[in-house]
mmCIF file of all heavy atoms in Angstrom:
data_model
loop_
_atom_site.group_PDB
_atom_site.id
_atom_site.type_symbol
_atom_site.label_atom_id
_atom_site.label_comp_id
_atom_site.label_asym_id
_atom_site.label_seq_id
_atom_site.Cartn_x
_atom_site.Cartn_y
_atom_site.Cartn_z
ATOM 1 N N ILE A 23 -8.462 18.294 -8.151
ATOM 2 C CA ILE A 23 -7.093 17.821 -7.684
ATOM 3 C C ILE A 23 -7.054 17.585 -6.140
ATOM 4 O O ILE A 23 -6.593 16.608 -5.773
ATOM 5 C CB ILE A 23 -6.027 18.830 -8.138
ATOM 6 C CG1 ILE A 23 -5.803 18.698 -9.645
ATOM 7 C CG2 ILE A 23 -4.708 18.653 -7.446
ATOM 8 C CD1 ILE A 23 -4.899 19.717 -10.288
ATOM 9 N N PRO A 24 -7.622 18.505 -5.366
ATOM 10 C CA PRO A 24 -7.645 18.202 -3.904
ATOM 11 C C PRO A 24 -8.546 16.980 -3.618
ATOM 12 O O PRO A 24 -8.072 16.184 -2.696
ATOM 13 C CB PRO A 24 -8.222 19.458 -3.297
ATOM 14 C CG PRO A 24 -8.069 20.507 -4.235
ATOM 15 C CD PRO A 24 -8.012 19.865 -5.566
ATOM 16 N N LEU A 25 -9.618 16.832 -4.256
ATOM 17 C CA LEU A 25 -10.444 15.665 -4.069
ATOM 18 C C LEU A 25 -9.682 14.414 -4.317
ATOM 19 O O LEU A 25 -9.724 13.398 -3.592
ATOM 20 C CB LEU A 25 -11.678 15.668 -4.994
ATOM 21 C CG LEU A 25 -12.655 14.567 -4.856
ATOM 22 C CD1 LEU A 25 -14.018 15.095 -4.861
ATOM 23 C CD2 LEU A 25 -12.466 13.551 -5.948
ATOM 24 N N MET A 26 -8.923 14.234 -5.499
ATOM 25 C CA MET A 26 -8.176 13.076 -5.789
ATOM 26 C C MET A 26 -7.021 12.820 -4.770
ATOM 27 O O MET A 26 -6.768 11.778 -4.318
ATOM 28 C CB MET A 26 -7.604 13.167 -7.245
ATOM 29 C CG MET A 26 -8.678 13.067 -8.288
ATOM 30 S SD MET A 26 -9.851 11.706 -8.139
ATOM 31 C CE MET A 26 -8.699 10.317 -8.368
ATOM 32 N N ALA A 27 -6.349 13.936 -4.467
ATOM 33 C CA ALA A 27 -5.238 13.834 -3.496
ATOM 34 C C ALA A 27 -5.669 13.361 -2.123
ATOM 35 O O ALA A 27 -5.083 12.461 -1.564
ATOM 36 C CB ALA A 27 -4.511 15.258 -3.414
ATOM 37 N N ILE A 28 -6.763 13.882 -1.555
ATOM 38 C CA ILE A 28 -7.196 13.519 -0.307
ATOM 39 C C ILE A 28 -7.804 12.084 -0.295
ATOM 40 O O ILE A 28 -7.631 11.350 0.635
ATOM 41 C CB ILE A 28 -8.157 14.595 0.349
ATOM 42 C CG1 ILE A 28 -8.241 14.386 1.849
ATOM 43 C CG2 ILE A 28 -9.525 14.361 -0.250
ATOM 44 C CD1 ILE A 28 -6.954 14.844 2.536
ATOM 45 N N SER A 29 -8.383 11.740 -1.466
ATOM 46 C CA SER A 29 -8.842 10.371 -1.575
ATOM 47 C C SER A 29 -7.701 9.382 -1.613
ATOM 48 O O SER A 29 -7.868 8.298 -1.000
ATOM 49 C CB SER A 29 -9.742 10.275 -2.911
ATOM 50 O OG SER A 29 -10.876 11.062 -2.843
ATOM 51 N N ILE A 30 -6.695 9.743 -2.220
ATOM 52 C CA ILE A 30 -5.513 8.834 -2.232
ATOM 53 C C ILE A 30 -4.901 8.680 -0.844
ATOM 54 O O ILE A 30 -4.554 7.594 -0.409
ATOM 55 C CB ILE A 30 -4.386 9.322 -3.363
ATOM 56 C CG1 ILE A 30 -4.988 9.200 -4.734
ATOM 57 C CG2 ILE A 30 -3.138 8.613 -3.206
ATOM 58 C CD1 ILE A 30 -4.278 9.947 -5.839
ATOM 59 N N GLN A 31 -4.816 9.802 -0.153
ATOM 60 C CA GLN A 31 -4.307 9.780 1.173
ATOM 61 C C GLN A 31 -5.195 8.928 2.157
ATOM 62 O O GLN A 31 -4.625 8.139 2.954
ATOM 63 C CB GLN A 31 -4.025 11.094 1.713
ATOM 64 C CG GLN A 31 -3.036 11.876 1.010
ATOM 65 C CD GLN A 31 -3.040 13.442 1.262
ATOM 66 O OE1 GLN A 31 -3.408 13.763 2.484
ATOM 67 N NE2 GLN A 31 -2.677 14.239 0.303
ATOM 68 N N ILE A 32 -6.454 8.947 2.031
ATOM 69 C CA ILE A 32 -7.346 8.330 2.898
ATOM 70 C C ILE A 32 -7.250 6.858 2.499
ATOM 71 O O ILE A 32 -7.155 5.933 3.445
ATOM 72 C CB ILE A 32 -8.780 8.812 2.829
ATOM 73 C CG1 ILE A 32 -8.915 10.134 3.459
ATOM 74 C CG2 ILE A 32 -9.788 7.765 3.419
ATOM 75 C CD1 ILE A 32 -10.279 10.827 3.202
ATOM 76 N N PHE A 33 -7.134 6.468 1.188
ATOM 77 C CA PHE A 33 -6.969 5.186 0.784
ATOM 78 C C PHE A 33 -5.693 4.550 1.392
ATOM 79 O O PHE A 33 -5.616 3.406 1.849
ATOM 80 C CB PHE A 33 -6.988 5.106 -0.804
ATOM 81 C CG PHE A 33 -6.585 3.891 -1.396
ATOM 82 C CD1 PHE A 33 -7.406 2.780 -1.455
ATOM 83 C CD2 PHE A 33 -5.327 3.616 -1.977
ATOM 84 C CE1 PHE A 33 -7.067 1.539 -1.972
ATOM 85 C CE2 PHE A 33 -4.895 2.489 -2.452
ATOM 86 C CZ PHE A 33 -5.807 1.367 -2.421
ATOM 87 N N ALA A 34 -4.584 5.340 1.298
ATOM 88 C CA ALA A 34 -3.302 4.764 1.845
ATOM 89 C C ALA A 34 -3.376 4.613 3.318
ATOM 90 O O ALA A 34 -2.834 3.646 3.808
ATOM 91 C CB ALA A 34 -2.231 5.728 1.472
ATOM 92 N N ILE A 35 -4.033 5.475 3.988
ATOM 93 C CA ILE A 35 -4.177 5.325 5.446
ATOM 94 C C ILE A 35 -4.944 4.011 5.805
ATOM 95 O O ILE A 35 -4.597 3.213 6.632
ATOM 96 C CB ILE A 35 -4.949 6.583 6.085
ATOM 97 C CG1 ILE A 35 -4.054 7.796 6.048
ATOM 98 C CG2 ILE A 35 -5.489 6.237 7.514
ATOM 99 C CD1 ILE A 35 -4.731 9.089 6.337
ATOM 100 N N ILE A 36 -6.019 3.753 5.045
ATOM 101 C CA ILE A 36 -6.763 2.477 5.260
ATOM 102 C C ILE A 36 -5.911 1.252 4.985
ATOM 103 O O ILE A 36 -5.844 0.280 5.708
ATOM 104 C CB ILE A 36 -8.002 2.470 4.294
ATOM 105 C CG1 ILE A 36 -9.015 3.472 4.709
ATOM 106 C CG2 ILE A 36 -8.603 1.032 4.279
ATOM 107 C CD1 ILE A 36 -10.216 3.723 3.742
ATOM 108 N N LEU A 37 -5.157 1.288 3.925
ATOM 109 C CA LEU A 37 -4.183 0.243 3.600
ATOM 110 C C LEU A 37 -3.092 0.001 4.709
ATOM 111 O O LEU A 37 -2.939 -1.078 5.145
ATOM 112 C CB LEU A 37 -3.433 0.483 2.262
ATOM 113 C CG LEU A 37 -4.321 0.440 1.034
ATOM 114 C CD1 LEU A 37 -3.389 0.555 -0.198
ATOM 115 C CD2 LEU A 37 -5.050 -0.873 0.857
ATOM 116 N N PHE A 38 -2.587 1.148 5.128
ATOM 117 C CA PHE A 38 -1.514 0.973 6.245
ATOM 118 C C PHE A 38 -2.145 0.559 7.487
ATOM 119 O O PHE A 38 -1.386 -0.183 8.307
ATOM 120 C CB PHE A 38 -0.700 2.333 6.302
ATOM 121 C CG PHE A 38 0.408 2.467 5.296
ATOM 122 C CD1 PHE A 38 0.274 3.476 4.372
ATOM 123 C CD2 PHE A 38 1.484 1.604 5.255
ATOM 124 C CE1 PHE A 38 1.343 3.654 3.306
ATOM 125 C CE2 PHE A 38 2.466 1.660 4.257
ATOM 126 C CZ PHE A 38 2.354 2.648 3.353
#
Side-chain angles (χ1 to χ4, degrees):
I23 289 173
L25 181 136
M26 294 307 296
I28 202 68
S29 296
I30 291 165
Q31 291 169 33
I32 292 170
F33 170 78
I35 290 167
I36 291 168
L37 291 184
F38 279 115

